[in-house]
Amino acid sequence: MPLRVPPAPAPALRSVLTALSSPTAVREARTPALLDAQGPTTPELPLPVHVLDRITAQGVTATRLTGWRFHIRCGDRVVAAAETMLTPDGWAFSHFFEGPYVAATERALRQAESVGQSYQPRLLSVPELYMLTLWLHGDCTADPAAGHPAAADLLVPLAPAPPGIAAHRPHRVAELLPVLTHRVTPTRLLGSPA
């Protein structure tokens, strides 16, 4: 079944298009593949980026939208990604980048296309574990900027995944959150007894 990619906010897309048309922004990006791109580049596949702020023993989570990520295509291949962020003035271009998560996201999206159910794709970052996942949200009509992972949603850890968590293996949220709960340890205050 096809993934139901939500439309990005128009100002977020405009900010990426403006950055792509700016030689200064592209040159300062330090992304060799984008600098060496021959031909027009286009942003595609907007994915909302959520951050997992809290995992509790009960599995209750708090997430927040931090930006929108676009793949940057040149010809038949993705050469980089662009990320936007929400500012007090609205959506603004943040940065271009390349690296393993760009290819891993593309691979996970191809995998997700073969799943028998429709999903709304999102990205979910778990900063405490240096982990990024493709979050396949079961409610395709949901506001992509809101919500938190439902028990039946799928999370696909992207490579490189933390040790002990298999990359590109889909997990139900209800199965993966308990594993993450045990891996995330509360930060101890400096000077507190051990």
Side-chain angles (χ1 to χ4, degrees):
M1 296 230 145
L3 294 175
R4 305 284 171 89
V5 179
L13 176 58
R14 275 194 307 272
S15 72
V16 171
L17 290 169
T18 300
L20 279 171
S21 66
S22 165
T24 304
V26 171
R27 187 173 51 254
E28 290 178 358
R30 296 186 181 90
T31 53
L34 185 57
L35 286 168
D36 296 339
Q38 299 295 315
T41 53
T42 55
E44 62 177 30
L45 203 62
L47 296 174
V49 180
H50 293 259
V51 171
L52 185 64
D53 284 327
R54 188 173 60 247
I55 304 173
T56 67
Q58 296 79 23
V60 177
T61 62
T63 63
R64 61 187 162 84
L65 179 71
T66 60
W68 282 81
R69 184 171 295 175
F70 298 78
H71 280 182
I72 306 300
R73 182 169 295 281
C74 180
D76 63 349
R77 66 186 192 100
V78 172
V79 295
E83 194 145 324
T84 63
M85 63 183 177
L86 190 57
T87 69
D89 295 325
W91 290 101
F93 171 75
S94 175
H95 60 283
F96 290 115
F97 64 96
E98 58 185 65
Y101 285 131
V102 175
T105 302
E106 210 175 7
R107 176 181 169 185
L109 287 165
R110 280 194 307 271
Q111 275 182 281
E113 287 284 346
S114 66
V115 175
Q117 179 180 342
S118 291
Y119 287 101
Q120 182 188 85
R122 303 171 175 194
L123 293 172
L124 181 65
S125 173
V126 186
E128 293 171 336
L129 295 177
Y130 300 100
M131 179 178 174
L132 184 64
T133 69
L134 177 64
W135 169 13
L136 299 172
H137 191 52
D139 183 357
C140 295
T141 62
D143 177 358
H148 61 277
D153 287 356
L154 294 178
L155 295 177
V156 182
L158 301 180
I165 297 176
H168 297 289
R169 183 173 168 254
H171 301 270
R172 294 257 176 238
V173 167
E175 297 164 358
L176 187 58
L177 276 185
V179 173
L180 299 181
T181 301
H182 295 296
R183 305 280 305 271
V184 174
T185 57
T187 307
R188 255 189 289 170
L189 295 174
L190 291 175
S192 66

